[in-house]
Amino acid sequence: MIRTVAGVAELRAHLAGWRERGQRIALVPTMGNLHPGHHSLIELARRNADRVVASVFVNPTQFGPDEDFARYPRTPEADAEGLARAGCDLLFLPGVEAMYPLGVEAAVRIRVPGLADVLEGAARPGHFDGVASVVARLFNLVRPDVALFGRKDYQQLQVIRHLVRDLAFAIDIVPGPTVREPDGLAMSSRNQYLGAEERRVAVEIIRNLRTMREQAALGLPIAGIEQEALERLAAAGFAVDYAVIRRADLGRPEAGNEAGLIGLIAARLGRTRLIDNLAFDEPLDAC
Ligand code: PAF
């Protein structure tokens, strides 16, 4: 069984022992309902540190009023077992009082300008304020040397990098690759909301990202590639929030500069919102 702590004092006592021994500490922040994508982050963390802490906290401040906070899957026993198997040393399982000691309404919010307002930020107003605010708290509580985040939430990764640079957290941010189902669908806790027919259609997201990559490699105009992807996804039954090509920093690509482009899609199938992305310079067999 993995050692689990819920309180801040207990967490700090545990970490202090490791620090006294000069051990490098990794943090993998999660919202639980862990799948192989999370487990691969734990394994990557093991290769980057002596000790690995995972946090499981379904953070209320990053969900909008009409989103799935209440029904977000909570599976603490299975999470603990999976973390132990993947090589995690400590599970931090805080309640709301530990993360927001003054209450959620009185909580200090951190806003990353620009990034917080586009793509995911435009579709989910306030989402990245909640993410940045909870991650900053986790960084202060754990004070890790390194923290790991999946590339599947690409914009989140950029928000965290901005946060770390601007607030001078002495933490290395290590991205983990997107882990996919055999048909290419990116693993996500939200995939289990999909009905059988929706699950069959969901693979169109990665198929469209691959097509966007192929069309960009042929030098086709970006606006046309985006429009076609949007139309194909809508025809397959998605309500599309965006299907776009951006630079690695999420700025709009400049004509004639195709280096480091990334395709990003967010679309809903019924009540399930799915996101995925594909770096166009990733090797073709990687995804
Ligand atoms: O990616 C997630 O699971 C969450 O956004 C995170 C980083 C754990 C913050 O709540």
Side-chain angles (χ1 to χ4, degrees):
M1 268 312 278
I2 189 167
R3 180 73 187 258
T4 303
V5 296
V8 171
E10 209 188 337
L11 171 74
R12 288 201 163 126
H14 218 87
L15 296 167
W18 293 344
R19 263 191 212 102
E20 271 165 30
R21 277 174 256 146
Q23 292 180 321
R24 182 172 158 87
I25 298 170
L27 171 66
V28 180
T30 82
M31 296 207 301
N33 193 241
L34 305 180
H35 52 65
H38 296 108
H39 300 149
S40 78
L41 284 180
I42 301 289
E43 286 154 16
L44 186 58
R46 277 246 74 93
R47 302 200 286 278
N48 278 272
D50 304 302
R51 295 289 184 174
V52 179
V53 183
S55 60
V56 171
F57 178 64
V58 185
N59 172 34
T61 67
Q62 68 187 75
F63 289 80
D66 300 326
E67 293 186 350
D68 56 345
F69 174 68
R71 70 179 179 127
Y72 196 85
R74 289 153 170 91
T75 51
E77 286 89 17
D79 289 348
E81 280 167 26
L83 287 170
R85 269 199 312 274
C88 184
D89 297 296
L90 183 66
L91 167 57
F92 179 43
L93 194 61
V96 178
E97 336 66 62
M99 293 307 297
Y100 297 105
L102 305 184
V104 168
E105 292 309 316
V108 172
R109 302 284 173 124
I110 298 175
R111 179 163 188 74
V112 173
L115 273 173
D117 301 315
V118 296
L119 302 175
E120 281 303 281
R124 304 181 65 188
H127 169 66
F128 286 124
D129 301 358
V131 170
S133 304
V134 80
V135 169
R137 284 171 163 75
L138 288 166
F139 284 173
N140 280 329
L141 292 170
V142 177
R143 292 197 293 117
D145 300 287
V146 54
L148 294 94
F149 295 86
R151 278 187 66 99
K152 168 167 178 293
D153 293 300
Y154 185 79
Q155 190 174 355
Q156 169 171 282
L157 180 62
Q158 297 304 105
V159 165
I160 305 296
R161 284 178 162 145
H162 187 116
L163 176 81
V164 163
R165 280 186 69 192
D166 198 41
L167 297 188
F169 283 108
I171 301 173
D172 297 330
I173 301 300
V174 174
T178 302
V179 178
R180 298 183 179 280
E181 301 288 355
D183 67 355
L185 178 68
M187 287 198 182
S188 162
S189 302
R190 290 187 168 106
N191 291 351
Q192 63 194 266
Y193 298 155
L194 296 167
E197 176 57 14
E198 290 171 338
R199 171 63 189 81
R200 197 185 59 73
V201 173
V203 72
E204 291 304 324
I205 293 190
I206 183 62
R207 284 200 186 137
N208 272 277
L209 286 166
R210 288 178 183 143
T211 304
M212 290 164 84
R213 172 171 62 182
E214 281 158 22
Q215 292 178 327
L218 293 172
L220 301 186
I222 287 191
I225 299 175
E226 293 175 341
Q227 183 59 31
E228 276 185 27
L230 211 135
E231 286 168 12
R232 280 192 305 268
L233 287 163
F238 289 90
V240 185
D241 282 338
Y242 55 82
V244 295
I245 296 176
R246 291 289 182 265
R247 299 191 314 247
D249 65 359
L250 294 179
R252 284 179 192 276
E254 290 134 23
N257 185 359
E258 274 82 43
L261 296 182
I262 174 164
L264 303 110
I265 292 178
R268 271 164 291 127
L269 268 179
R271 290 172 69 208
T272 310
R273 189 169 182 279
L274 301 171
I275 64 170
D276 198 358
N277 67 81
L278 185 62
F280 289 175
D281 50 14
E282 258 178 63
L284 275 168
D285 57 358
C287 38

